[in-house]
Structures are given as structure tokens and as C-alpha cells.
Amino acid sequence: MNHALTTAAAGFGTGLSLIVAIGAQNAFVLRQGVRRDAVLAVVGICALSDAALIALGVGGVGAVVVAWPGALRAIGIVGGVFLLCYGALAARRVLRPGTGLRAEGDAAGSRRRAVLTCLAMTWLNPHVYLDTVFLLGSLAADRGPLRWTFGLGAALASLCWFAALGFGARLLGRFLARPGAWRVLDGLVALTMLALGATLVVGS
């Protein structure tokens, strides 16, 4: 029992270390959380997607993914272009404050866009496959019969992180009530998206 808890804790720590770094997905979840726009749907998509990818890695699919560099290259190009476009839109909001964010999101149309954008950022990022599927899968394989316990810990870390990021972001609402603060947030989002998009395209 103690060995299983230790393995789950190791998976939790490893999973957390891979997703806490600033990236396109985290920036998007933060933005949606601050807007209080489709937060539950976005957090659910991120957490469930990570759980599915972790399960694939623990199940041994990681080696297959890495064996197809052409597929990863195509995903990198498509994902990079997507992030460049999203970053350009965020930069446009910085330059044109009138198009900035509101504290509350729009209704169904905004929710639909948020869901589609979240799916794209999650599944069109090749680093997700390399880190979550291959790296976590390889680390889990070293745990032998407890590899699924390790994967469960990593999936739990993902759920905790995205829930904290999405639902905790509303604590910034008072600070971001000022229009200038939205421009700062969009500026950080734009820089993150453009840098990651360019890196993906060039790397692919």
C-alpha cells in the first residue's frame, strides 16, 4: 500500500512538473478563467485529454508515436500556424483596446469557440505527445506492475492544476477590472502564442 502511494505521488509530481510551465494551453485556460467563460468545459477538456494521453503512454503507445516523425512534423506545422494566428488576434486586442476582453464572456457562441480552441491547442501540440505520451509513458514503464498507479497520479496532477488555474483565475477579477490590465494579459498571451507558434513551425 505504501509503495502504491509513493508511486502515485511520484506520478503526481512528474505530471505537475510537465504541465506547470507557461504554455499556450495554460495561457488560454487562465484567460478563460479570468473571463469566467466556459471554464468548466475548458478545464474538463484539458484534464480529460491529458488523462487519455497519459493512458495511451502508459499503455505503450509512446514508442509508436515517436516512431512516426512525419506525423509529429505535420502536427507541429498545423499547431504552429494555429498558435501564430491566435497570437496575432491577441496582439490585435493589445493594439486596439476597444476589442479587449470583458469580465464576462458571451453566451453559446463564445462557449463553442472556447471549446474548439481548447481542443485545437491540446491536440495540435506535438509537445503534448512527446511529454505526456512518450516521456510519462517511459517513466511509467519503469514502475512495472504499478505503472497505471503512476499514470493515475499524473492524471490527478493535471486535473488539480487545470482546476486551480481555471477556477482560481477569477481571483484576479478585481485587478483585471481595469482596461489596461487586460492589455497586459493579452500582451503576455500574444508573446507566448507567437513564440511557441514560431518555435513549432521552425522546429518542424
Side-chain angles (χ1 to χ4, degrees):
M1 183 63 179
N2 289 336
H3 193 38
L5 290 176
T6 302
T7 301
F12 188 94
T14 303
L16 202 60
S17 67
L18 290 176
I19 64 175
V20 166
I22 296 175
Q25 190 182 47
N26 285 339
F28 178 73
V29 175
L30 177 63
R31 183 173 179 270
Q32 293 302 118
V34 171
R35 296 186 69 199
R36 302 184 184 183
D37 181 13
V39 180
L40 181 60
V42 168
V43 169
I45 288 171
C46 292
L48 290 175
S49 295
D50 268 10
L53 290 167
I54 290 170
L56 289 175
V58 174
V61 182
V64 178
V65 173
V66 177
W68 291 352
L72 286 177
R73 187 175 301 111
I75 293 174
I77 293 174
V78 174
V81 171
F82 172 80
L83 291 180
L84 287 174
C85 292
Y86 192 90
L89 291 176
R92 179 174 177 268
R93 288 193 297 268
V94 175
L95 299 175
R96 298 179 58 182
T99 63
L101 298 172
R102 294 194 297 272
E104 301 277 336
D106 297 331
S110 177
R111 184 173 293 105
R112 184 166 52 251
R113 287 194 299 271
V115 167
L116 293 176
T117 302
C118 186
L119 286 171
M121 286 188 175
T122 301
W123 292 94
L124 290 180
N125 184 358
H127 294 297
V128 169
Y129 298 94
L130 292 176
D131 291 343
T132 308
V133 178
F134 177 67
L135 181 56
L136 272 176
S138 299
L139 294 174
D142 292 337
R143 301 287 171 167
L146 291 176
R147 64 184 184 280
W148 288 105
T149 304
F150 182 90
L152 180 62
L156 182 60
S158 175
L159 174 60
C160 291
W161 169 253
F162 287 120
L165 190 63
F167 293 105
R170 65 184 59 186
L171 298 177
L172 299 174
R174 180 176 299 179
F175 169 73
L176 292 171
R178 294 173 292 180
W182 285 111
R183 298 182 69 184
V184 173
L185 178 61
D186 271 328
L188 293 174
V189 171
L191 289 174
T192 301
M193 303 296 182
L194 292 174
L196 289 175
T199 300
L200 288 178
V201 172
V202 173
S204 297

mmCIF file with all atom_site columns, all heavy atoms in Angstrom, residues 123-147:
data_model
loop_
_atom_site.group_PDB
_atom_site.id
_atom_site.type_symbol
_atom_site.label_atom_id
_atom_site.label_alt_id
_atom_site.label_comp_id
_atom_site.label_asym_id
_atom_site.label_entity_id
_atom_site.label_seq_id
_atom_site.pdbx_PDB_ins_code
_atom_site.Cartn_x
_atom_site.Cartn_y
_atom_site.Cartn_z
_atom_site.occupancy
_atom_site.B_iso_or_equiv
_atom_site.pdbx_formal_charge
_atom_site.auth_seq_id
_atom_site.auth_comp_id
_atom_site.auth_asym_id
_atom_site.auth_atom_id
_atom_site.pdbx_PDB_model_num
ATOM 1   N N   . TRP A 1 123 ? -4.691 19.168 -28.791 1.00 0.00 ? 123 TRP A N   1
ATOM 2   C CA  . TRP A 1 123 ? -4.380 18.032 -29.664 1.00 0.00 ? 123 TRP A CA  1
ATOM 3   C C   . TRP A 1 123 ? -3.496 18.370 -30.864 1.00 0.00 ? 123 TRP A C   1
ATOM 4   O O   . TRP A 1 123 ? -3.020 17.472 -31.550 1.00 0.00 ? 123 TRP A O   1
ATOM 5   C CB  . TRP A 1 123 ? -5.679 17.394 -30.148 1.00 0.00 ? 123 TRP A CB  1
ATOM 6   C CG  . TRP A 1 123 ? -6.421 16.738 -29.014 1.00 0.00 ? 123 TRP A CG  1
ATOM 7   C CD1 . TRP A 1 123 ? -7.400 17.292 -28.256 1.00 0.00 ? 123 TRP A CD1 1
ATOM 8   C CD2 . TRP A 1 123 ? -6.218 15.422 -28.505 1.00 0.00 ? 123 TRP A CD2 1
ATOM 9   N NE1 . TRP A 1 123 ? -7.831 16.404 -27.297 1.00 0.00 ? 123 TRP A NE1 1
ATOM 10  C CE2 . TRP A 1 123 ? -7.123 15.243 -27.425 1.00 0.00 ? 123 TRP A CE2 1
ATOM 11  C CE3 . TRP A 1 123 ? -5.369 14.366 -28.844 1.00 0.00 ? 123 TRP A CE3 1
ATOM 12  C CZ2 . TRP A 1 123 ? -7.199 14.060 -26.692 1.00 0.00 ? 123 TRP A CZ2 1
ATOM 13  C CZ3 . TRP A 1 123 ? -5.446 13.195 -28.111 1.00 0.00 ? 123 TRP A CZ3 1
ATOM 14  C CH2 . TRP A 1 123 ? -6.351 13.046 -27.055 1.00 0.00 ? 123 TRP A CH2 1
ATOM 15  N N   . LEU A 1 124 ? -3.254 19.667 -31.124 1.00 0.00 ? 124 LEU A N   1
ATOM 16  C CA  . LEU A 1 124 ? -2.382 20.046 -32.234 1.00 0.00 ? 124 LEU A CA  1
ATOM 17  C C   . LEU A 1 124 ? -0.987 20.442 -31.761 1.00 0.00 ? 124 LEU A C   1
ATOM 18  O O   . LEU A 1 124 ? -0.206 20.979 -32.523 1.00 0.00 ? 124 LEU A O   1
ATOM 19  C CB  . LEU A 1 124 ? -3.000 21.211 -33.025 1.00 0.00 ? 124 LEU A CB  1
ATOM 20  C CG  . LEU A 1 124 ? -4.247 20.887 -33.842 1.00 0.00 ? 124 LEU A CG  1
ATOM 21  C CD1 . LEU A 1 124 ? -4.740 22.123 -34.572 1.00 0.00 ? 124 LEU A CD1 1
ATOM 22  C CD2 . LEU A 1 124 ? -3.971 19.754 -34.834 1.00 0.00 ? 124 LEU A CD2 1
ATOM 23  N N   . ASN A 1 125 ? -0.696 20.163 -30.503 1.00 0.00 ? 125 ASN A N   1
ATOM 24  C CA  . ASN A 1 125 ? 0.613  20.497 -29.948 1.00 0.00 ? 125 ASN A CA  1
ATOM 25  C C   . ASN A 1 125 ? 1.471  19.231 -29.870 1.00 0.00 ? 125 ASN A C   1
ATOM 26  O O   . ASN A 1 125 ? 1.202  18.338 -29.057 1.00 0.00 ? 125 ASN A O   1
ATOM 27  C CB  . ASN A 1 125 ? 0.438  21.101 -28.550 1.00 0.00 ? 125 ASN A CB  1
ATOM 28  C CG  . ASN A 1 125 ? 1.769  21.556 -27.960 1.00 0.00 ? 125 ASN A CG  1
ATOM 29  O OD1 . ASN A 1 125 ? 2.831  21.396 -28.560 1.00 0.00 ? 125 ASN A OD1 1
ATOM 30  N ND2 . ASN A 1 125 ? 1.701  22.119 -26.772 1.00 0.00 ? 125 ASN A ND2 1
ATOM 31  N N   . PRO A 1 126 ? 2.498  19.108 -30.697 1.00 0.00 ? 126 PRO A N   1
ATOM 32  C CA  . PRO A 1 126 ? 3.311  17.885 -30.696 1.00 0.00 ? 126 PRO A CA  1
ATOM 33  C C   . PRO A 1 126 ? 4.034  17.647 -29.376 1.00 0.00 ? 126 PRO A C   1
ATOM 34  O O   . PRO A 1 126 ? 4.346  16.511 -29.030 1.00 0.00 ? 126 PRO A O   1
ATOM 35  C CB  . PRO A 1 126 ? 4.304  18.115 -31.841 1.00 0.00 ? 126 PRO A CB  1
ATOM 36  C CG  . PRO A 1 126 ? 4.343  19.586 -32.026 1.00 0.00 ? 126 PRO A CG  1
ATOM 37  C CD  . PRO A 1 126 ? 2.972  20.084 -31.699 1.00 0.00 ? 126 PRO A CD  1
ATOM 38  N N   . HIS A 1 127 ? 4.306  18.739 -28.626 1.00 0.00 ? 127 HIS A N   1
ATOM 39  C CA  . HIS A 1 127 ? 4.971  18.561 -27.340 1.00 0.00 ? 127 HIS A CA  1
ATOM 40  C C   . HIS A 1 127 ? 4.099  17.771 -26.365 1.00 0.00 ? 127 HIS A C   1
ATOM 41  O O   . HIS A 1 127 ? 4.614  17.101 -25.467 1.00 0.00 ? 127 HIS A O   1
ATOM 42  C CB  . HIS A 1 127 ? 5.322  19.926 -26.743 1.00 0.00 ? 127 HIS A CB  1
ATOM 43  C CG  . HIS A 1 127 ? 6.352  20.674 -27.524 1.00 0.00 ? 127 HIS A CG  1
ATOM 44  N ND1 . HIS A 1 127 ? 7.639  20.203 -27.700 1.00 0.00 ? 127 HIS A ND1 1
ATOM 45  C CD2 . HIS A 1 127 ? 6.288  21.847 -28.197 1.00 0.00 ? 127 HIS A CD2 1
ATOM 46  C CE1 . HIS A 1 127 ? 8.327  21.063 -28.432 1.00 0.00 ? 127 HIS A CE1 1
ATOM 47  N NE2 . HIS A 1 127 ? 7.528  22.064 -28.756 1.00 0.00 ? 127 HIS A NE2 1
ATOM 48  N N   . VAL A 1 128 ? 2.791  17.857 -26.556 1.00 0.00 ? 128 VAL A N   1
ATOM 49  C CA  . VAL A 1 128 ? 1.886  17.077 -25.711 1.00 0.00 ? 128 VAL A CA  1
ATOM 50  C C   . VAL A 1 128 ? 2.149  15.588 -25.891 1.00 0.00 ? 128 VAL A C   1
ATOM 51  O O   . VAL A 1 128 ? 2.192  14.819 -24.924 1.00 0.00 ? 128 VAL A O   1
ATOM 52  C CB  . VAL A 1 128 ? 0.413  17.402 -26.046 1.00 0.00 ? 128 VAL A CB  1
ATOM 53  C CG1 . VAL A 1 128 ? -0.531 16.423 -25.367 1.00 0.00 ? 128 VAL A CG1 1
ATOM 54  C CG2 . VAL A 1 128 ? 0.092  18.821 -25.615 1.00 0.00 ? 128 VAL A CG2 1
ATOM 55  N N   . TYR A 1 129 ? 2.356  15.186 -27.141 1.00 0.00 ? 129 TYR A N   1
ATOM 56  C CA  . TYR A 1 129 ? 2.585  13.765 -27.414 1.00 0.00 ? 129 TYR A CA  1
ATOM 57  C C   . TYR A 1 129 ? 3.948  13.319 -26.901 1.00 0.00 ? 129 TYR A C   1
ATOM 58  O O   . TYR A 1 129 ? 4.098  12.228 -26.345 1.00 0.00 ? 129 TYR A O   1
ATOM 59  C CB  . TYR A 1 129 ? 2.464  13.496 -28.915 1.00 0.00 ? 129 TYR A CB  1
ATOM 60  C CG  . TYR A 1 129 ? 1.095  13.802 -29.450 1.00 0.00 ? 129 TYR A CG  1
ATOM 61  C CD1 . TYR A 1 129 ? 0.807  15.043 -30.011 1.00 0.00 ? 129 TYR A CD1 1
ATOM 62  C CD2 . TYR A 1 129 ? 0.063  12.864 -29.378 1.00 0.00 ? 129 TYR A CD2 1
ATOM 63  C CE1 . TYR A 1 129 ? -0.463 15.337 -30.486 1.00 0.00 ? 129 TYR A CE1 1
ATOM 64  C CE2 . TYR A 1 129 ? -1.201 13.146 -29.849 1.00 0.00 ? 129 TYR A CE2 1
ATOM 65  C CZ  . TYR A 1 129 ? -1.461 14.388 -30.405 1.00 0.00 ? 129 TYR A CZ  1
ATOM 66  O OH  . TYR A 1 129 ? -2.709 14.677 -30.860 1.00 0.00 ? 129 TYR A OH  1
ATOM 67  N N   . LEU A 1 130 ? 4.948  14.192 -27.072 1.00 0.00 ? 130 LEU A N   1
ATOM 68  C CA  . LEU A 1 130 ? 6.291  13.824 -26.637 1.00 0.00 ? 130 LEU A CA  1
ATOM 69  C C   . LEU A 1 130 ? 6.392  13.775 -25.114 1.00 0.00 ? 130 LEU A C   1
ATOM 70  O O   . LEU A 1 130 ? 6.982  12.856 -24.551 1.00 0.00 ? 130 LEU A O   1
ATOM 71  C CB  . LEU A 1 130 ? 7.313  14.824 -27.200 1.00 0.00 ? 130 LEU A CB  1
ATOM 72  C CG  . LEU A 1 130 ? 7.511  14.778 -28.722 1.00 0.00 ? 130 LEU A CG  1
ATOM 73  C CD1 . LEU A 1 130 ? 8.459  15.874 -29.169 1.00 0.00 ? 130 LEU A CD1 1
ATOM 74  C CD2 . LEU A 1 130 ? 8.044  13.418 -29.147 1.00 0.00 ? 130 LEU A CD2 1
ATOM 75  N N   . ASP A 1 131 ? 5.797  14.778 -24.451 1.00 0.00 ? 131 ASP A N   1
ATOM 76  C CA  . ASP A 1 131 ? 5.897  14.836 -22.989 1.00 0.00 ? 131 ASP A CA  1
ATOM 77  C C   . ASP A 1 131 ? 4.922  13.876 -22.311 1.00 0.00 ? 131 ASP A C   1
ATOM 78  O O   . ASP A 1 131 ? 5.314  13.028 -21.509 1.00 0.00 ? 131 ASP A O   1
ATOM 79  C CB  . ASP A 1 131 ? 5.631  16.265 -22.493 1.00 0.00 ? 131 ASP A CB  1
ATOM 80  C CG  . ASP A 1 131 ? 6.741  17.221 -22.893 1.00 0.00 ? 131 ASP A CG  1
ATOM 81  O OD1 . ASP A 1 131 ? 7.821  16.736 -23.250 1.00 0.00 ? 131 ASP A OD1 1
ATOM 82  O OD2 . ASP A 1 131 ? 6.524  18.442 -22.858 1.00 0.00 ? 131 ASP A OD2 1
ATOM 83  N N   . THR A 1 132 ? 3.644  14.025 -22.649 1.00 0.00 ? 132 THR A N   1
ATOM 84  C CA  . THR A 1 132 ? 2.613  13.268 -21.940 1.00 0.00 ? 132 THR A CA  1
ATOM 85  C C   . THR A 1 132 ? 2.589  11.801 -22.348 1.00 0.00 ? 132 THR A C   1
ATOM 86  O O   . THR A 1 132 ? 2.486  10.911 -21.497 1.00 0.00 ? 132 THR A O   1
ATOM 87  C CB  . THR A 1 132 ? 1.227  13.893 -22.201 1.00 0.00 ? 132 THR A CB  1
ATOM 88  O OG1 . THR A 1 132 ? 1.285  15.291 -21.907 1.00 0.00 ? 132 THR A OG1 1
ATOM 89  C CG2 . THR A 1 132 ? 0.170  13.246 -21.330 1.00 0.00 ? 132 THR A CG2 1
ATOM 90  N N   . VAL A 1 133 ? 2.687  11.539 -23.647 1.00 0.00 ? 133 VAL A N   1
ATOM 91  C CA  . VAL A 1 133 ? 2.593  10.156 -24.103 1.00 0.00 ? 133 VAL A CA  1
ATOM 92  C C   . VAL A 1 133 ? 3.934  9.435  -23.973 1.00 0.00 ? 133 VAL A C   1
ATOM 93  O O   . VAL A 1 133 ? 4.025  8.394  -23.311 1.00 0.00 ? 133 VAL A O   1
ATOM 94  C CB  . VAL A 1 133 ? 2.102  10.096 -25.571 1.00 0.00 ? 133 VAL A CB  1
ATOM 95  C CG1 . VAL A 1 133 ? 2.043  8.655  -26.049 1.00 0.00 ? 133 VAL A CG1 1
ATOM 96  C CG2 . VAL A 1 133 ? 0.728  10.741 -25.690 1.00 0.00 ? 133 VAL A CG2 1
ATOM 97  N N   . PHE A 1 134 ? 4.965  9.996  -24.571 1.00 0.00 ? 134 PHE A N   1
ATOM 98  C CA  . PHE A 1 134 ? 6.243  9.284  -24.609 1.00 0.00 ? 134 PHE A CA  1
ATOM 99  C C   . PHE A 1 134 ? 6.993  9.354  -23.280 1.00 0.00 ? 134 PHE A C   1
ATOM 100 O O   . PHE A 1 134 ? 7.360  8.325  -22.702 1.00 0.00 ? 134 PHE A O   1
ATOM 101 C CB  . PHE A 1 134 ? 7.116  9.846  -25.724 1.00 0.00 ? 134 PHE A CB  1
ATOM 102 C CG  . PHE A 1 134 ? 8.477  9.228  -25.788 1.00 0.00 ? 134 PHE A CG  1
ATOM 103 C CD1 . PHE A 1 134 ? 8.638  7.903  -26.141 1.00 0.00 ? 134 PHE A CD1 1
ATOM 104 C CD2 . PHE A 1 134 ? 9.601  9.969  -25.474 1.00 0.00 ? 134 PHE A CD2 1
ATOM 105 C CE1 . PHE A 1 134 ? 9.889  7.315  -26.190 1.00 0.00 ? 134 PHE A CE1 1
ATOM 106 C CE2 . PHE A 1 134 ? 10.859 9.403  -25.510 1.00 0.00 ? 134 PHE A CE2 1
ATOM 107 C CZ  . PHE A 1 134 ? 11.003 8.069  -25.870 1.00 0.00 ? 134 PHE A CZ  1
ATOM 108 N N   . LEU A 1 135 ? 7.224  10.578 -22.774 1.00 0.00 ? 135 LEU A N   1
ATOM 109 C CA  . LEU A 1 135 ? 8.026  10.721 -21.559 1.00 0.00 ? 135 LEU A CA  1
ATOM 110 C C   . LEU A 1 135 ? 7.336  10.099 -20.354 1.00 0.00 ? 135 LEU A C   1
ATOM 111 O O   . LEU A 1 135 ? 7.927  9.271  -19.634 1.00 0.00 ? 135 LEU A O   1
ATOM 112 C CB  . LEU A 1 135 ? 8.316  12.201 -21.297 1.00 0.00 ? 135 LEU A CB  1
ATOM 113 C CG  . LEU A 1 135 ? 9.164  12.506 -20.059 1.00 0.00 ? 135 LEU A CG  1
ATOM 114 C CD1 . LEU A 1 135 ? 10.492 11.752 -20.134 1.00 0.00 ? 135 LEU A CD1 1
ATOM 115 C CD2 . LEU A 1 135 ? 9.407  14.001 -19.944 1.00 0.00 ? 135 LEU A CD2 1
ATOM 116 N N   . LEU A 1 136 ? 6.086  10.459 -20.108 1.00 0.00 ? 136 LEU A N   1
ATOM 117 C CA  . LEU A 1 136 ? 5.377  9.879  -18.972 1.00 0.00 ? 136 LEU A CA  1
ATOM 118 C C   . LEU A 1 136 ? 5.190  8.375  -19.144 1.00 0.00 ? 136 LEU A C   1
ATOM 119 O O   . LEU A 1 136 ? 5.264  7.618  -18.183 1.00 0.00 ? 136 LEU A O   1
ATOM 120 C CB  . LEU A 1 136 ? 4.016  10.558 -18.798 1.00 0.00 ? 136 LEU A CB  1
ATOM 121 C CG  . LEU A 1 136 ? 3.995  11.824 -17.931 1.00 0.00 ? 136 LEU A CG  1
ATOM 122 C CD1 . LEU A 1 136 ? 2.604  12.443 -17.930 1.00 0.00 ? 136 LEU A CD1 1
ATOM 123 C CD2 . LEU A 1 136 ? 4.447  11.531 -16.516 1.00 0.00 ? 136 LEU A CD2 1
ATOM 124 N N   . GLY A 1 137 ? 4.952  7.958  -20.405 1.00 0.00 ? 137 GLY A N   1
ATOM 125 C CA  . GLY A 1 137 ? 4.808  6.531  -20.662 1.00 0.00 ? 137 GLY A CA  1
ATOM 126 C C   . GLY A 1 137 ? 6.075  5.767  -20.355 1.00 0.00 ? 137 GLY A C   1
ATOM 127 O O   . GLY A 1 137 ? 6.039  4.670  -19.782 1.00 0.00 ? 137 GLY A O   1
ATOM 128 N N   . SER A 1 138 ? 7.221  6.357  -20.717 1.00 0.00 ? 138 SER A N   1
ATOM 129 C CA  . SER A 1 138 ? 8.503  5.708  -20.437 1.00 0.00 ? 138 SER A CA  1
ATOM 130 C C   . SER A 1 138 ? 8.769  5.630  -18.944 1.00 0.00 ? 138 SER A C   1
ATOM 131 O O   . SER A 1 138 ? 9.233  4.606  -18.436 1.00 0.00 ? 138 SER A O   1
ATOM 132 C CB  . SER A 1 138 ? 9.635  6.476  -21.130 1.00 0.00 ? 138 SER A CB  1
ATOM 133 O OG  . SER A 1 138 ? 9.451  6.487  -22.531 1.00 0.00 ? 138 SER A OG  1
ATOM 134 N N   . LEU A 1 139 ? 8.478  6.723  -18.230 1.00 0.00 ? 139 LEU A N   1
ATOM 135 C CA  . LEU A 1 139 ? 8.685  6.730  -16.788 1.00 0.00 ? 139 LEU A CA  1
ATOM 136 C C   . LEU A 1 139 ? 7.751  5.747  -16.092 1.00 0.00 ? 139 LEU A C   1
ATOM 137 O O   . LEU A 1 139 ? 8.129  5.091  -15.118 1.00 0.00 ? 139 LEU A O   1
ATOM 138 C CB  . LEU A 1 139 ? 8.474  8.144  -16.232 1.00 0.00 ? 139 LEU A CB  1
ATOM 139 C CG  . LEU A 1 139 ? 9.498  9.192  -16.676 1.00 0.00 ? 139 LEU A CG  1
ATOM 140 C CD1 . LEU A 1 139 ? 9.091  10.574 -16.186 1.00 0.00 ? 139 LEU A CD1 1
ATOM 141 C CD2 . LEU A 1 139 ? 10.892 8.838  -16.153 1.00 0.00 ? 139 LEU A CD2 1
ATOM 142 N N   . ALA A 1 140 ? 6.531  5.656  -16.602 1.00 0.00 ? 140 ALA A N   1
ATOM 143 C CA  . ALA A 1 140 ? 5.573  4.725  -16.010 1.00 0.00 ? 140 ALA A CA  1
ATOM 144 C C   . ALA A 1 140 ? 6.005  3.285  -16.238 1.00 0.00 ? 140 ALA A C   1
ATOM 145 O O   . ALA A 1 140 ? 5.820  2.424  -15.370 1.00 0.00 ? 140 ALA A O   1
ATOM 146 C CB  . ALA A 1 140 ? 4.181  4.962  -16.602 1.00 0.00 ? 140 ALA A CB  1
ATOM 147 N N   . ALA A 1 141 ? 6.589  3.009  -17.392 1.00 0.00 ? 141 ALA A N   1
ATOM 148 C CA  . ALA A 1 141 ? 7.015  1.639  -17.703 1.00 0.00 ? 141 ALA A CA  1
ATOM 149 C C   . ALA A 1 141 ? 8.042  1.134  -16.704 1.00 0.00 ? 141 ALA A C   1
ATOM 150 O O   . ALA A 1 141 ? 8.103  -0.060 -16.396 1.00 0.00 ? 141 ALA A O   1
ATOM 151 C CB  . ALA A 1 141 ? 7.567  1.578  -19.121 1.00 0.00 ? 141 ALA A CB  1
ATOM 152 N N   . ASP A 1 142 ? 8.866  2.058  -16.169 1.00 0.00 ? 142 ASP A N   1
ATOM 153 C CA  . ASP A 1 142 ? 9.880  1.662  -15.188 1.00 0.00 ? 142 ASP A CA  1
ATOM 154 C C   . ASP A 1 142 ? 9.262  1.216  -13.866 1.00 0.00 ? 142 ASP A C   1
ATOM 155 O O   . ASP A 1 142 ? 9.951  0.614  -13.031 1.00 0.00 ? 142 ASP A O   1
ATOM 156 C CB  . ASP A 1 142 ? 10.842 2.831  -14.927 1.00 0.00 ? 142 ASP A CB  1
ATOM 157 C CG  . ASP A 1 142 ? 11.696 3.151  -16.145 1.00 0.00 ? 142 ASP A CG  1
ATOM 158 O OD1 . ASP A 1 142 ? 11.874 2.252  -16.993 1.00 0.00 ? 142 ASP A OD1 1
ATOM 159 O OD2 . ASP A 1 142 ? 12.166 4.298  -16.250 1.00 0.00 ? 142 ASP A OD2 1
ATOM 160 N N   . ARG A 1 143 ? 7.967  1.526  -13.678 1.00 0.00 ? 143 ARG A N   1
ATOM 161 C CA  . ARG A 1 143 ? 7.302  1.162  -12.414 1.00 0.00 ? 143 ARG A CA  1
ATOM 162 C C   . ARG A 1 143 ? 6.726  -0.251 -12.452 1.00 0.00 ? 143 ARG A C   1
ATOM 163 O O   . ARG A 1 143 ? 6.164  -0.711 -11.461 1.00 0.00 ? 143 ARG A O   1
ATOM 164 C CB  . ARG A 1 143 ? 6.183  2.162  -12.121 1.00 0.00 ? 143 ARG A CB  1
ATOM 165 C CG  . ARG A 1 143 ? 6.672  3.596  -12.017 1.00 0.00 ? 143 ARG A CG  1
ATOM 166 C CD  . ARG A 1 143 ? 7.426  3.845  -10.739 1.00 0.00 ? 143 ARG A CD  1
ATOM 167 N NE  . ARG A 1 143 ? 8.070  5.155  -10.731 1.00 0.00 ? 143 ARG A NE  1
ATOM 168 C CZ  . ARG A 1 143 ? 8.578  5.722  -9.647  1.00 0.00 ? 143 ARG A CZ  1
ATOM 169 N NH1 . ARG A 1 143 ? 8.520  5.068  -8.494  1.00 0.00 ? 143 ARG A NH1 1
ATOM 170 N NH2 . ARG A 1 143 ? 9.152  6.900  -9.702  1.00 0.00 ? 143 ARG A NH2 1
ATOM 171 N N   . GLY A 1 144 ? 6.844  -0.900 -13.599 1.00 0.00 ? 144 GLY A N   1
ATOM 172 C CA  . GLY A 1 144 ? 6.382  -2.280 -13.695 1.00 0.00 ? 144 GLY A CA  1
ATOM 173 C C   . GLY A 1 144 ? 4.888  -2.420 -13.461 1.00 0.00 ? 144 GLY A C   1
ATOM 174 O O   . GLY A 1 144 ? 4.086  -1.700 -14.071 1.00 0.00 ? 144 GLY A O   1
ATOM 175 N N   . PRO A 1 145 ? 4.476  -3.310 -12.562 1.00 0.00 ? 145 PRO A N   1
ATOM 176 C CA  . PRO A 1 145 ? 3.043  -3.534 -12.311 1.00 0.00 ? 145 PRO A CA  1
ATOM 177 C C   . PRO A 1 145 ? 2.316  -2.300 -11.788 1.00 0.00 ? 145 PRO A C   1
ATOM 178 O O   . PRO A 1 145 ? 1.093  -2.209 -11.884 1.00 0.00 ? 145 PRO A O   1
ATOM 179 C CB  . PRO A 1 145 ? 3.046  -4.644 -11.245 1.00 0.00 ? 145 PRO A CB  1
ATOM 180 C CG  . PRO A 1 145 ? 4.386  -5.299 -11.373 1.00 0.00 ? 145 PRO A CG  1
ATOM 181 C CD  . PRO A 1 145 ? 5.330  -4.217 -11.772 1.00 0.00 ? 145 PRO A CD  1
ATOM 182 N N   . LEU A 1 146 ? 3.057  -1.318 -11.253 1.00 0.00 ? 146 LEU A N   1
ATOM 183 C CA  . LEU A 1 146 ? 2.438  -0.110 -10.704 1.00 0.00 ? 146 LEU A CA  1
ATOM 184 C C   . LEU A 1 146 ? 2.426  1.037  -11.706 1.00 0.00 ? 146 LEU A C   1
ATOM 185 O O   . LEU A 1 146 ? 2.216  2.192  -11.330 1.00 0.00 ? 146 LEU A O   1
ATOM 186 C CB  . LEU A 1 146 ? 3.181  0.324  -9.435  1.00 0.00 ? 146 LEU A CB  1
ATOM 187 C CG  . LEU A 1 146 ? 3.021  -0.588 -8.214  1.00 0.00 ? 146 LEU A CG  1
ATOM 188 C CD1 . LEU A 1 146 ? 3.879  -0.095 -7.063  1.00 0.00 ? 146 LEU A CD1 1
ATOM 189 C CD2 . LEU A 1 146 ? 1.556  -0.660 -7.794  1.00 0.00 ? 146 LEU A CD2 1
ATOM 190 N N   . ARG A 1 147 ? 2.638  0.723  -12.983 1.00 0.00 ? 147 ARG A N   1
ATOM 191 C CA  . ARG A 1 147 ? 2.705  1.793  -13.979 1.00 0.00 ? 147 ARG A CA  1
ATOM 192 C C   . ARG A 1 147 ? 1.377  2.548  -14.086 1.00 0.00 ? 147 ARG A C   1
ATOM 193 O O   . ARG A 1 147 ? 1.353  3.764  -14.318 1.00 0.00 ? 147 ARG A O   1
ATOM 194 C CB  . ARG A 1 147 ? 3.126  1.247  -15.344 1.00 0.00 ? 147 ARG A CB  1
ATOM 195 C CG  . ARG A 1 147 ? 2.162  0.270  -15.982 1.00 0.00 ? 147 ARG A CG  1
ATOM 196 C CD  . ARG A 1 147 ? 2.737  -0.270 -17.297 1.00 0.00 ? 147 ARG A CD  1
ATOM 197 N NE  . ARG A 1 147 ? 1.816  -1.135 -18.009 1.00 0.00 ? 147 ARG A NE  1
ATOM 198 C CZ  . ARG A 1 147 ? 1.614  -2.413 -17.717 1.00 0.00 ? 147 ARG A CZ  1
ATOM 199 N NH1 . ARG A 1 147 ? 2.293  -2.967 -16.712 1.00 0.00 ? 147 ARG A NH1 1
ATOM 200 N NH2 . ARG A 1 147 ? 0.763  -3.137 -18.407 1.00 0.00 ? 147 ARG A NH2 1
#
